[in-house]
Amino acid sequence: MSRRAPRVVVVGGGVAGLVIARDLARAGLNVEVLEGSRHLGGVVGPLTVQRDPTAQAAGRGRFRTVTVDAGAESFATRSVAVADLLEELHLTSRVVPPSPVGAWVAHDAGAAPLPRSGVLGIPTDLEEIERVAGRAAVRRARLDRYLPRRIGTGRAGTSVSLGHLVRARLGQEVLDRLVAPVAGGVHSTDPMLLDVDAVAPGLRRAVAEHGSLMAAAAALRAAAPAGAAVAGIRGGMHNLVTALADEVVGHGGVIRPGARVDAIERVAGTRRSPWRLTLADGATLGAAHVVVATDLPAAGALLTPLLPGVTIPQPSGGAGVSLVTLVLEHPDLNDAPRGTGVLVAPGAGPALGIRAKALTHASAKWDWVRDALPRDHHVVRLSFGRLGEADAPTASNDALISTAIHDVGVLLGVPVAPEQVVGSAVVRFPAGLPYAGVGHADRVRAVRAAAHEQPGLHVAGAWIAGTGLAAVVADARAVATALAEQLKNGTGHLAD
Ligand SMILES: Cc1cc2nc3c(=O)[nH]c(=O)nc-3n(C[C@H](O)[C@H](O)[C@H](O)COP(=O)(O)OP(=O)(O)OC[C@H]3O[C@@H](n4cnc5c(N)ncnc54)[C@H](O)[C@@H]3O)c2cc1C
């Protein structure tokens, strides 16, 4: 790396920031990552759960610690973005599919296995609908085949929500019992708020082409690579973060944890370092190029003064997510009574008397988690907090764990006594998940265009690329390629 190369500063050491820094460092550029917290990876990181001291004293539980993922635990395989990156990082041999037993959905009238063939819960055949939502729902969904293609898809140039499209073509029951739980699990919000073009690109066009929403979902699914819709890494997704950070440093890049950026300004008259970053401790740093790869609230705070006239969309009401991981010693769970886990239909919580919005039976989903524990031990993870539900994320850890112990029994259909819990941990994600609201694609275009007008300013991360590692990685790599190209060609405004 040339000492004289202009400095690129990446603000945010989540997966987006680390991917960009890794690609730039490999290209021989002078790159520095400023990460506000003490840990890299953002919402991707390890969580080590220890045996509860009370359980230990009572001779319950036969493990010392188990390490699982704190946040993201899988990646979508609909594109090759993550798989390609993992191959470059020599992690392919550790990529594993989840157990094929599949997940369930809980709604106010019971629980049923989720269809596995669709897209975001949109089923591809009527039998799947009958199993989860009953005959009346099938009768309504049948109309999908006969409705004019324009119904639900909106006019060209307008935005349509996922919920609107599903309700118009397949009916309310399919929306409530199939699509809302899956979309809520992935995006932490109501499908009526999600921009269909952002969360299921190509779906609207496929309806026009194939004549029905179910056929469109089947076509999109068929176009995706064969096999499970998601995959994980043996040992946890957090291994991706370690591998990325190792490569950044190995190629001469610098990573500074605990370096929160409070402000970014453009300084007139300095050709080589026109950007000045002010850190939380008051220190300042110059840069030729700045990549803002933080979470949504921080991106809003840092970019709003730089991009006048552009609104960085903040989720109203917040969607802070809290995850409770429990280690249970419970032989009745060995048969995975609800497969890999349960998604809860929005609105079903009060009828079922529960607060959780989803449960992952991690030791049933991933062989490597099961193998990390003695027989009859299980790891389950419950998530709390949906857009508009503000109290779950603010509850105390003890209150959340008690709620989780109650909810796990209801969701798995097997009574769970508090003494069967031999380890527990709570992880909070106050920034929650940025969701792609209706009109998201237009707002993203506006932010990108405004940033492009500011020479040397770049934006990345889930808040702009869309939620999920597949979207984040693909976008981050595109940002890195464009920036490296600029600097190589000397079109980077400040290249020497
Ligand atoms: C609980 C949870 C589970 C998920 N599960 C999955 C899953 O299984 N599969 C999947 O594909 N996706 C999943 N996702 C989504 C996916 O993990 C994210 O979309 C993706 O990891 C976001 O990466 P990012 O780098 O854009 O943002 P983040 O991970 O949020 O990283 C942003 C980083 O910026 C730092 N930062 C913030 N402000 C500043 C500042 N001022 N200065 C310096 N640094 C700053 C933060 O500390 C953080 O490290 C999940 C998300 C959550 C919350």
Side-chain angles (χ1 to χ4, degrees), residues 11-17 34-37 39 41-44 71-76 259-262 293-295 298 302 321 323 381 429 432-433 461-463 466-470 472:
V11 184
V15 168
L34 303 181
E35 163 54 43
S37 74
H39 307 282
V43 301
V44 182
E73 44 123 46
S74 64
F75 60 93
R260 197 185 76 217
V261 175
D262 275 355
T294 64
D295 48 51
L302 293 171
V321 175
L323 298 183
R381 184 169 95 164
F429 297 95
L433 293 158
W463 65 277
T467 291
L469 295 169
V472 166

Side-chain angles (χ1 to χ4, degrees), residues 21-49:
R22 179 257 179 193
D23 283 359
L24 294 180
R26 272 171 60 91
L29 296 166
N30 176 356
V31 63
E32 187 158 340
V33 179
L34 303 181
E35 163 54 43
S37 74
R38 292 266 150 221
H39 307 282
L40 293 176
V43 301
V44 182
L47 171 71
T48 298
V49 187

Side-chain angles (χ1 to χ4, degrees), residues 166-402:
V166 172
R167 192 174 58 192
R169 300 211 61 98
L170 295 170
Q172 188 73 42
E173 287 286 289
V174 170
L175 174 62
D176 291 347
R177 296 209 173 173
L178 288 156
V179 178
V182 178
V186 177
H187 296 280
S188 270
T189 196
D190 187 318
M192 296 309 284
L193 301 174
L194 291 169
D195 189 329
V196 69
D197 294 338
V199 296
L203 187 62
R204 274 213 280 178
R205 205 177 41 246
V207 175
E209 204 175 307
H210 297 277
S212 83
L213 180 55
M214 286 204 295
L220 252 61
R221 192 59 191 263
V230 297
I233 297 179
R234 198 183 328 114
M237 269 322 286
H238 54 271
N239 287 287
L240 167 64
V241 172
T242 316
L244 286 169
D246 284 351
E247 287 223 347
V248 173
V249 176
H251 287 91
V254 173
I255 300 179
R256 288 170 59 187
R260 197 185 76 217
V261 175
D262 275 355
I264 304 172
E265 308 156 78
R266 198 170 169 77
V267 191
T270 39
R271 250 181 62 78
R272 201 174 150 74
S273 295
W275 293 101
R276 186 167 59 206
L277 294 93
T278 306
L279 276 61
D281 63 5
T284 59
L285 187 76
H289 286 259
V290 179
V291 184
V292 176
T294 64
D295 48 51
L296 176 59
L302 293 171
L303 289 170
T304 301
L306 299 173
L307 306 177
V310 173
T311 311
I312 314 283
Q314 297 289 330
S316 54
V321 175
S322 299
L323 298 183
V324 180
T325 299
L326 303 176
V327 181
L328 306 168
E329 189 177 11
H330 201 318
D332 294 353
L333 302 185
N334 293 350
D335 293 335
R338 294 289 183 265
T340 57
V342 189
L343 295 167
V344 180
L352 299 170
I354 58 166
R355 302 288 310 280
K357 71 172 180 117
L359 175 152
T360 304
H361 188 163
S363 46
K365 185 170 183 178
W366 306 109
D367 286 352
W368 66 267
V369 178
R370 185 201 58 211
D371 295 345
L373 284 165
R375 207 180 141 63
D376 301 336
H377 285 56
H378 293 268
V379 177
V380 295
R381 184 169 95 164
L382 293 95
S383 57
F384 295 88
R386 218 189 279 266
L387 201 65
E389 292 172 8
D391 52 341
T394 55
S396 71
N397 282 4
D398 285 350
L400 271 176
I401 290 169
S402 298

Side-chain angles (χ1 to χ4, degrees), residues 67-90:
T67 299
V68 291
D69 280 306
E73 44 123 46
S74 64
F75 60 93
T77 53
R78 65 173 184 274
S79 80
V80 291
V82 181
D84 284 354
L85 176 66
L86 294 175
E87 189 171 353
E88 290 177 33
L89 296 168
H90 310 292

